[in-house]
Amino acid sequence: IIENGVEGSSFDFVSPAGHTRLVLPLIGHHNVMNALAALAAASLWGVGADEAARVFPGLSPADKRGEVVRFDEGFSIINDSYNSSPIALRAMVEVLAATCGYQRRLVAAGEMLELGKSAPELHRECGRHAGALKKIDWIFAVRGVAADNAQREYYVPDLVTIYRRQGAVVETVTVANPDEIRGINSRAELAAVS
């Protein structure tokens, strides 16, 4: 499996019919696993790698499920915002880290709901995972448990916590009002509001 970040993946499919290189525009290792499961099921009806090679390049993700939105200004957004989970967030952060050709990699992560009592630790684990990849420049953790980087025991509804990587050091900036970060164009401007 060769993962190409926001460009998708390619992989070798080996079956009794032979060996085929398949290209999948859907991002993330998990989508390759989904494609393999679909091929296994489709093989029961005689659908094989030749058909997959024709169909896979035209696939597109479901709304807000790994959508890559490209802008004329030269930046892209991975929109994986529909009912995220720790597994989904980790997968998208890994895709972002594997994506080449961009100056900066930013993660904006909102609170993942319905995680129960383990929510604070699961959010922290996602943050630690992103930091361990050493390729994410900024993490914007927005609202609730996502913004709870200091292991607070209270909920501040408008809190935004920003983690930024400066070489090997991760700094944290907490902004009480998200309106303060709108229109910020540089790290110096961000430092001025923190």
Side-chain angles (χ1 to χ4, degrees):
I1 299 173
I2 298 173
E3 294 197 40
N4 299 309
V6 296
E7 302 305 321
S9 304
S10 59
F11 59 97
D12 292 325
F13 179 69
V14 180
S15 71
H19 175 272
T20 306
R21 173 60 106 188
L22 296 173
V23 175
L24 189 65
L26 304 177
I27 62 175
H29 185 82
H30 61 286
N31 277 314
V32 173
M33 298 299 109
N34 292 340
L36 290 170
L39 275 168
S43 70
L44 297 174
W45 291 278
V47 175
D50 291 341
E51 291 87 351
R54 285 194 305 276
V55 172
F56 282 4
L59 294 176
S60 60
D63 185 43
K64 298 181 199 88
R65 296 281 193 176
E67 282 181 288
V68 178
V69 183
R70 291 177 171 82
F71 292 83
D72 292 337
E73 293 81 3
F75 67 93
S76 298
I77 293 175
I78 300 172
N79 183 358
D80 197 55
S81 60
Y82 182 80
N83 199 21
S84 192
S85 69
I87 292 170
L89 179 56
R90 288 172 69 107
M92 289 304 111
V93 167
E94 289 170 5
V95 167
L96 181 60
T99 299
C100 299
Y102 292 90
Q103 280 185 314
R104 285 177 284 201
R105 292 172 188 87
L106 314 168
V107 172
E111 181 176 23
M112 293 176 280
L113 302 176
E114 302 168 1
L115 297 177
K117 291 180 182 182
S118 59
E121 182 56 28
L122 290 169
H123 281 82
R124 283 191 292 275
E125 285 176 10
C126 287
R128 284 192 293 266
H129 177 71
L133 295 171
K134 301 202 183 305
K135 294 204 173 184
I136 306 301
D137 297 296
W138 295 68
I139 301 173
F140 294 83
V142 182
R143 302 182 76 90
V145 178
D148 194 10
N149 75 303
Q151 300 177 8
R152 294 175 193 86
E153 294 298 323
Y154 57 89
Y155 177 75
V156 180
D158 289 330
L159 188 67
V160 175
T161 301
I162 303 164
Y163 306 85
R164 58 185 172 193
R165 183 169 52 87
Q166 299 280 3
V169 178
V170 175
E171 300 177 47
T172 303
V173 177
T174 301
V175 181
N177 181 355
D179 290 334
E180 293 176 356
I181 64 171
R182 290 195 176 97
I184 293 174
N185 297 311
S186 71
R187 290 180 184 199
E189 289 177 28
L190 181 64
V193 301
S194 61

